[in-house]
């Protein structure tokens, strides 16, 4: 499934008790509203929300009671078992605990007040759904609970969240497959590397020599130099440093950020691509020059 959803709960509709859901999928728009401020007499209420997009965000203003978030992607139910759900709480999210719920049992995912700006929580689709429960507050008007979510195949999620995966050099086969399936593929050089110790990540500042493909506009033409530039994130422990020469950068978009996948030196990619093409084994065509 593809598309983007945005769910929000606003306090500007005093008569309303339904989830504020903006779901952009194809050319359809669905809209309704809910405010926690209208629920003072319904603090034990449990509202249900159904989202059919593969990615989006939920914002619950003035939380009271609880929300059950049902993710129902537009794919065959038989494929649900191969899906992974990832959520990333907003930086200032507050006012509710987020649980994984299955058959009445709750497992705490995110405690109210936890501050981990870049932390992502992932679980198998068949492990349960999301149960968001407001915590007791003296003044709910100052609280907003929110998070982004993404559904992806388990293989992609494993690549993004297995600690060793982004640091391990890719095999020739993995590189050639990454060229065909990645959200972005570029030829470029490492201009600089910024290490973010608190988030345990490194930001690779890339100068782009050739743009083969990008799903989102992460790499853009800069006005000052007239060159294409962008940023790619990876784990701090990978120890990426600036260096000479061109690389073939591939990877996935994850919560709006480019995450590094396979990144061989470009001359090595040219060699493996030519060898595979000569044998008729290259999985897709791409101009390696």
């Amino acid at each position: 499934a593809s598309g983007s959803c945005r769910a929000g709960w606003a306090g500007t509709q005093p008569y309303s008790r339904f989830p504020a859901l903006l779901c952009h999928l194809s050319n359809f728009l669905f809209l309704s509203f809910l405010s926690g401020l209208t629920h003072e007499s319904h603090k034990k209420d449990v509202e249900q929300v159904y989202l059919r997009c593969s990615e989006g965000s939920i914002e619950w203003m003035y939380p009271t009671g609880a929300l059950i978030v049902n993710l129902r992607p537009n794919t065959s139910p038989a494929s649900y078992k191969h899906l992974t759900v990832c959520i990333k709480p907003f930086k200032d999210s507050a006012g509710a605990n987020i649980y994984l719920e299955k058959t009445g049992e709750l497992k705490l995912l995110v405690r109210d007040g936890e501050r981990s700006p870049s932390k992502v929580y992932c679980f198998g689709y068949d492990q349960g759904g999301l149960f968001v429960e407001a915590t007791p507050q003296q003044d709910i008007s100052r609280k907003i609970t929110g998070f982004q979510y993404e559904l992806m195949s388990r293989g992609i999620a494993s690549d993004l969240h297995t600690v060793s995966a982004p640091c391990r050099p890719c095999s020739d086969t993995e590189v050639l497959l990454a060229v065909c399936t990645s959200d972005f593929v570029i030829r470029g050089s490492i201009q600089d590397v910024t290490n973010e110790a608190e988030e345990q990540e490194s930001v690779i500042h890339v100068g782009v020599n050739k743009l083969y493909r990008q799903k989102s506009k992460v790499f853009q033409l800069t006005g000052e130099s007239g060159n294409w530039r962008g940023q790619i994130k990876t784990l701090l422990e990978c120890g990426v440093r600036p260096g000479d020469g061109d690389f073939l950068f591939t990877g996935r978009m994850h919560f709006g950020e480019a995450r590094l996948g396979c990144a061989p030196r470009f001359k090595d990619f040219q060699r493996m691509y030519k060898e595979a093409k000569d044998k008729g084994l290259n999985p897709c065509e791409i101009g390696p020059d």
Side-chain angles (χ1 to χ4, degrees):
S2 61
S4 176
C5 294
R6 175 180 166 275
W9 286 262
T12 58
Q13 303 288 336
Y15 53 84
S16 176
R17 291 188 55 208
F18 296 95
L21 171 60
L22 284 168
C23 176
H24 298 273
L25 187 61
S26 299
N27 295 317
F28 296 96
L29 173 67
F30 305 91
L31 176 63
S32 52
F33 297 91
L34 169 85
S35 167
L37 286 178
T38 68
H39 280 237
E40 285 302 307
S41 61
H42 306 281
K43 291 186 177 180
K44 299 298 182 182
D45 281 0
V46 178
E47 302 284 349
Q48 297 222 31
V49 178
Y50 292 84
L51 301 177
R52 291 197 171 274
C53 303
S54 60
E55 61 183 76
S57 62
I58 289 177
E59 186 174 358
W60 186 11
M61 300 177 68
Y62 329 127
T64 61
L67 290 175
I68 296 175
V69 181
N70 300 282
L71 301 177
R72 297 289 187 268
N74 288 318
T75 59
S76 166
S79 67
Y80 287 176
K81 62 183 178 181
H82 301 298
L83 294 177
T84 291
V85 181
C86 291
I87 67 169
K88 182 179 182 180
F90 293 158
K91 184 178 180 180
D92 299 322
S93 179
N97 293 322
I98 303 175
Y99 298 89
L100 182 61
E101 185 275 334
K102 188 172 185 180
T103 61
E105 294 187 12
L106 297 178
K107 177 183 177 182
L108 183 63
L109 279 180
V110 187
R111 189 180 301 278
D112 184 16
E114 250 182 46
R115 290 290 180 268
S116 302
S118 64
K119 190 164 184 181
V120 173
Y121 304 80
C122 295
F123 54 91
Y125 184 92
D126 53 3
Q127 288 183 261
L130 290 170
F131 184 85
V132 188
E133 184 178 38
T135 54
Q137 305 289 337
Q138 292 295 323
D139 183 6
I140 64 169
S141 68
R142 298 181 180 274
K143 304 297 181 181
I144 299 176
T145 298
F147 58 88
Q148 295 172 273
Y149 75 88
E150 289 185 353
L151 286 93
M152 62 193 76
S153 72
R154 288 201 172 160
I156 294 173
S158 176
D159 288 345
L160 286 166
H161 294 285
T162 299
V163 172
S164 62
C167 303
R168 176 180 60 82
C170 294
S171 67
D172 289 6
T173 301
E174 288 171 328
V175 169
L176 293 172
L177 189 59
V179 167
C180 304
T181 61
S182 293
D183 292 335
F184 62 88
V185 181
I186 64 167
R187 175 184 178 179
S189 59
I190 301 175
Q191 304 295 306
D192 194 12
V193 177
T194 304
N195 293 324
E196 300 177 345
E198 183 180 347
E199 298 185 2
Q200 289 296 293
E201 291 185 328
S202 293
V203 181
I204 308 169
H205 302 266
V206 177
V208 180
N209 295 326
K210 185 166 184 178
L211 178 65
Y212 293 100
R213 179 172 66 252
Q214 65 171 332
K215 183 178 178 181
S216 301
K217 295 181 179 179
V218 174
F219 306 97
Q220 297 189 359
L221 194 63
T222 58
E224 299 176 359
S225 61
N227 298 323
W228 286 79
R229 298 185 182 278
Q231 297 179 353
I232 304 172
K233 285 194 172 184
T234 190
L235 295 182
L236 180 63
E237 69 180 66
C238 294
V240 178
R241 294 180 176 85
D244 297 331
D246 280 5
F247 295 82
L248 185 80
F249 294 100
T250 69
R252 299 279 181 184
M253 295 303 300
H254 194 43
F255 293 115
E257 298 176 338
R259 307 292 307 192
L260 185 64
C262 296
R265 287 196 172 273
F266 192 74
K267 61 181 181 181
D268 293 331
F269 165 66
Q270 287 179 305
R271 171 192 54 79
M272 60 183 76
Y273 183 86
K274 183 178 185 304
E275 289 177 357
K277 189 171 184 179
D278 290 345
K279 297 176 183 177
L281 298 177
N282 52 319
C284 66
E285 292 285 340
I286 184 171
D289 299 327

